Amino acid sequence: MTIFNVCPTLRDSSCRAFDRCCRFLPCLSDPARRSALFLKVALVMVHLIYAGVLFLFDGGLIEKTKREPWYTGIYLALFVITLVQYFVTSGSSPGYVLDAMRTVNESNSVFRKTATVSKQPASSKGSVVVTVEGSQLGRPLLTNNGTPWTKLVLDLYPSGTSVRSVTCSYCNAEQPPRSKHCHDCDRCVLQFDHHCVWLGTCIGMGNHCKFWWYICEETALCLWTGIQYITYLKSNISNAWWKDVIMIVLLITLSISLIFLLLLLLFHSYLILTNQTTYELVRRRRISYLRGIPERVYPFSKGVCRNLYEFCCLRSSKYRMESLPTALELEEKSRPYSCTDVVTCRCC
């Protein structure tokens, strides 16, 4: 009887303690945010373990640090930059459709009020609009049929496209081309690439560049750490066997991670050069506007140089959207390469 009387008391006190903890830390009340927080803590701990074991076991590295402090300084700087880039990427917005829709509608309402008060032509007033590829570039969106966002989205599709066919059944918002609803984030993402579990967020138009730089820095850090582990094993293989076992186990897991990161870096570099996303590449036959396009044709590619420029230099605009290519553009992109195209750098 005592056990049955004590257990409910312990259970109630544990629940009250957890509720108080959730009150001070709101992120613990949401299971998704709680798991994302634990993953972030686990990733930081893994980084600290790999670097800590290296400095703890390798006495030669300590001596080298005294002789050449710049070497260890650069390594530690890369270590810190990688972790900072991880948290910056995980905390950045991928570019949500609802945020873009709110920006467009609010900008249009401000423009209407300004035009009404000043009684001046609309073209003489500056207005904050979403940067868009196509006919709506830098112009206020005024329409009598639906919201400005609805007209903007429909202008990105071929004529005759119905509003219902581009409306998300979950968010009840019109999706621009290349957008998709993420069930993990429960939001529609512009230029959706994938949902990254380790980052706890989606990768889209707003943070794809940050994500690529994080993969690049993480790959460089893993490669440098692996070289340090191999250097230690070569010079200290005859010392304490238990240290060698720990270092070998860590080196094996590090090598597996390095292979995965290298493949991921190459894969996303290919996507950047061809202006594709992971979702478009994997689910190409399920996307209506990509279903009839040959696989070797990249409908949104503007050439390697232009793709790199837009990816690196125009990613500050999280709401920059692209219209679907016309039939003539697709026909031009599907045309086989000739010797003249190679000389004139058509791919660039």
Side-chain angles (χ1 to χ4, degrees):
M1 294 298 292
T2 305
I3 296 177
F4 288 102
N5 291 333
V6 172
C7 288
T9 305
L10 292 175
R11 185 174 63 250
D12 294 340
S13 61
S14 300
C15 292
R16 286 194 297 270
F18 182 76
D19 292 339
R20 286 195 297 269
C21 184
C22 292
R23 194 178 302 113
F24 288 106
L25 297 174
C27 59
L28 296 179
S29 60
D30 185 9
R33 297 178 65 184
R34 185 165 63 245
S35 60
L37 177 62
F38 290 156
L39 282 174
K40 290 181 175 64
V41 173
L43 187 136
V44 172
M45 292 301 299
V46 168
H47 282 72
L48 292 176
I49 289 173
Y50 274 95
V53 169
L54 182 63
F55 282 94
L56 184 64
F57 289 176
D58 193 357
L61 181 61
I62 303 299
E63 295 297 328
K64 187 174 183 178
T65 303
K66 295 178 181 178
R67 298 192 309 269
E68 302 174 352
W70 60 267
Y71 182 85
T72 305
I74 296 175
Y75 176 80
L76 294 178
L78 179 61
F79 182 88
V80 173
I81 290 173
T82 302
L83 290 180
V84 170
Q85 185 68 28
Y86 169 78
F87 284 103
V88 169
T89 307
S90 63
S92 60
S93 171
Y96 295 113
V97 172
L98 290 178
D99 294 338
M101 180 177 65
R102 189 179 303 111
T103 302
V104 170
N105 292 334
E106 289 178 354
S107 300
N108 187 73
S109 63
V110 170
F111 175 81
R112 285 178 178 272
K113 291 179 181 179
T114 305
T116 302
V117 173
S118 62
K119 302 296 182 181
Q120 294 182 5
S123 59
S124 65
K125 287 292 181 179
S127 60
V128 181
V129 296
V130 179
T131 305
V132 184
E133 296 275 344
S135 61
Q136 299 297 334
L137 180 61
R139 288 192 291 156
L141 303 170
L142 300 177
T143 177
N144 296 324
N145 185 15
T147 64
W149 174 255
T150 303
K151 185 178 187 303
L152 170 62
V153 172
L154 291 180
D155 285 345
L156 299 176
Y157 288 94
S159 59
T161 303
S162 63
V163 177
R164 178 174 296 182
S165 62
V166 298
T167 302
C168 176
S169 58
Y170 299 95
C171 298
N172 197 28
E174 295 82 4
Q175 293 180 332
R178 314 188 74 181
S179 303
K180 182 187 177 297
H181 183 87
C182 176
H183 295 280
D184 295 294
C185 297
D186 197 24
R187 291 184 182 183
C188 289
V189 179
L190 295 170
Q191 201 165 318
F192 175 83
D193 189 88
H194 71 285
H195 182 87
C196 184
V197 178
W198 282 103
L199 291 171
T201 186
C202 282
I203 304 300
M205 177 178 291
N207 59 359
H208 198 178
C209 185
K210 298 183 181 69
F211 176 73
W212 187 89
W213 278 110
Y214 165 67
I215 297 175
C216 184
E217 294 163 3
E218 192 72 71
T219 304
L221 181 63
C222 285
L223 181 61
W224 197 342
T225 306
I227 293 174
Q228 294 293 337
Y229 271 66
I230 294 174
T231 303
Y232 168 82
L233 290 174
K234 284 183 177 180
S235 58
N236 299 276
I237 194 65
S238 60
N239 293 344
W241 63 270
W242 59 274
K243 290 185 179 180
D244 296 338
V245 170
I246 294 176
M247 297 291 283
I248 290 173
V249 171
L250 292 178
L251 181 60
I252 291 174
T253 57
L254 186 64
S255 301
I256 296 173
S257 302
L258 179 59
I259 293 173
F260 172 76
L261 286 171
L262 280 173
L263 293 176
L264 189 64
L265 180 63
L266 292 175
F267 174 69
H268 277 274
S269 299
Y270 163 73
L271 294 178
I272 294 167
L273 294 176
T274 56
N275 196 7
Q276 296 184 90
T277 64
T278 303
Y279 175 69
E280 291 172 347
L281 184 65
V282 175
R283 301 297 179 91
R284 189 182 184 103
R285 296 183 179 179
R286 296 184 57 181
I287 302 175
S288 59
Y289 52 84
L290 297 178
R291 194 174 296 140
I293 302 176
E295 293 186 0
R296 63 182 181 85
V297 177
Y298 312 118
F300 299 103
S301 178
K302 304 176 182 65
V304 174
C305 296
R306 182 66 182 179
N307 292 338
L308 283 175
Y309 171 75
E310 291 188 354
F311 183 82
C312 299
C313 303
L314 299 183
R315 289 290 163 157
S316 58
S317 175
K318 294 182 292 187
Y319 308 138
R320 183 180 55 84
M321 293 168 283
E322 300 174 86
S323 59
L324 291 179
T326 62
L328 292 176
E329 292 174 341
L330 291 176
E331 183 180 356
E332 176 64 22
K333 292 177 180 179
S334 61
R335 181 170 57 86
Y337 279 85
S338 62
C339 296
T340 307
D341 294 330
V342 175
V343 173
T344 56
C345 298
R346 173 188 162 192
C347 62
C348 298

